[in-house]
Amino acid sequence: MGIAVERLLEQNRVPEELFCPICNDLIDPADATEVTKCGHVFCGTCINQAMQHCSECPQDRQPIQVSHLRLVKDHNLFVYRLLGRSKVRCVHHALGCTWTGEVSEDRSHRATCPKERVGCTHCSAVVRRDQFTAHAAACRACRKCADKDAQIATLLQEKLAVSKKFLEVSESLRAKQVPPLAPVQSYHRYNILPLAHLLSTWLTDPPAHSHPDRNLVFESVKRCHDDVQRFRYEDPDTFDSQLLALLAAANATEWFTDNQNGRIRDWLWQVTQQHFTKSLSLHSASATGIGLLSCPDPT
């Protein structure tokens, strides 16, 4: 099926060859199909349906095959452009749309045509575009969405106000309770958490009123890491968890140089692997023990 003849504005000026011999409609340029063997042009839908019943060209009865068919838009630009220049009315002209233009402009017009039918995104109704505003006002699903949108907007405003107040209180508490940086030698495997607290409290920049030296902070992190690695066997679970907290906080800060950040990431990866390996070993041992206990005595 092509473009209905009643839509044509100047039918007498359209060459006869541009009408499909099967359906007698003006051939749609997007669907126009040419028979390479004889050069006749048809609607693609029409010629494919016809060939299901007879492998002959409907125009001159020459034997043809599917391989003889090709789209005009890909192989015959002259005919394609000629079809696209035909003058037509809107497909909805009977409903009052006054648009007229070339066939090539029809698709873009229908994307905005006020008489085109569109589906409601909230219910199953299909209505004309110029009636959609009235439908949305009456659609229960649309009203529910509008009410929910209003409720969400109110909640977002309340959340923003609460978040702002929380940040103000947090900044005030951080300024009052920031832990001081102790000498480097004070940080070791038994004193990891205060340093982790300092770093997690001030992720972006050190506190302005205490100005801890970044290199000293890094050396303190390194001392904690080295001390844990040396004496990890004493209490691996506690040391690993506290060191992971420290290294994660250090990795998240913007205090250190690129080289220092690289070393911190390496340490974090190393400790994570150690902790994971230990957990996996314990899990495997536990599973083995359960298996042995549940295994029936072969005797």
Side-chain angles (χ1 to χ4, degrees), residues 108-122:
S108 60
H109 162 69
R110 293 187 64 172
T112 58
C113 176
K115 304 302 180 182
E116 185 77 10
R117 295 174 68 81
V118 295
C120 177
T121 56
H122 302 294

Side-chain angles (χ1 to χ4, degrees), residues 55-156:
S55 298
E56 294 179 348
C57 173
Q59 195 75 339
D60 58 17
R61 298 303 175 186
Q62 288 194 53
I64 58 173
Q65 299 176 359
V66 174
S67 59
H68 293 143
L69 305 181
R70 62 182 183 181
L71 287 175
V72 166
K73 65 180 181 180
D74 295 331
H75 299 280
N76 195 333
L77 289 179
F78 174 75
V79 174
Y80 178 72
R81 290 168 182 159
L82 200 61
L83 286 166
R85 288 174 183 166
S86 302
K87 302 287 186 180
V88 293
R89 300 180 181 89
C90 175
V91 68
H92 301 301
H93 66 277
L95 295 175
C97 181
T98 59
W99 176 87
T100 60
E102 295 184 351
V103 170
S104 60
E105 302 167 339
D106 183 59
R107 190 179 300 274
S108 60
H109 162 69
R110 293 187 64 172
T112 58
C113 176
K115 304 302 180 182
E116 185 77 10
R117 295 174 68 81
V118 295
C120 177
T121 56
H122 302 294
C123 68
S124 57
V126 179
V127 296
R128 296 205 315 246
R129 187 174 278 114
D130 59 357
Q131 297 176 343
F132 190 81
T133 301
H135 166 77
C139 175
R140 178 178 298 178
C142 293
R143 289 204 308 273
K144 285 182 178 179
C145 287
D147 292 342
K148 288 181 179 179
D149 288 343
Q151 293 173 5
I152 291 172
T154 301
L155 290 173
L156 287 175

Side-chain angles (χ1 to χ4, degrees), residues 178-203 207 212-225 242-243 245-251 253 255-256 264 267:
V178 58
L181 181 67
V184 174
Q185 59 271 19
S186 301
Y187 294 106
H188 43 73
R189 63 189 184 282
Y190 296 117
N191 195 27
I192 295 176
L193 292 183
L195 184 57
H197 183 200
L198 172 69
L199 293 174
S200 60
T201 302
W202 300 93
L203 290 177
D213 183 276
R214 297 169 188 263
N215 292 325
L216 290 179
V217 175
F218 175 77
E219 289 300 322
S220 300
V221 173
K222 179 178 182 301
R223 180 178 173 81
C224 289
H225 168 266
Q242 292 185 1
L243 186 58
L246 171 62
L247 294 174
N251 186 54
T253 66
W255 289 31
F256 306 114
I264 289 171
W267 296 336

Side-chain angles (χ1 to χ4, degrees), residues 201-275:
T201 302
W202 300 93
L203 290 177
T204 305
D205 287 302
H209 55 278
S210 61
H211 298 291
D213 183 276
R214 297 169 188 263
N215 292 325
L216 290 179
V217 175
F218 175 77
E219 289 300 322
S220 300
V221 173
K222 179 178 182 301
R223 180 178 173 81
C224 289
H225 168 266
D226 293 346
D227 196 44
V228 166
Q229 293 302 316
R230 195 160 42 246
F231 298 100
R232 181 172 178 269
Y233 63 88
E234 293 179 358
D235 189 359
D237 288 337
T238 302
F239 291 160
D240 281 354
S241 60
Q242 292 185 1
L243 186 58
L244 280 172
L246 171 62
L247 294 174
N251 186 54
T253 66
E254 299 178 8
W255 289 31
F256 306 114
T257 65
D258 291 342
N259 181 54
Q260 291 171 341
N261 281 326
R263 296 184 66 184
I264 289 171
R265 283 192 293 270
D266 290 341
W267 296 336
L268 180 59
W269 172 253
Q270 175 193 21
V271 176
T272 302
Q273 287 293 99
Q274 290 174 346
H275 190 66

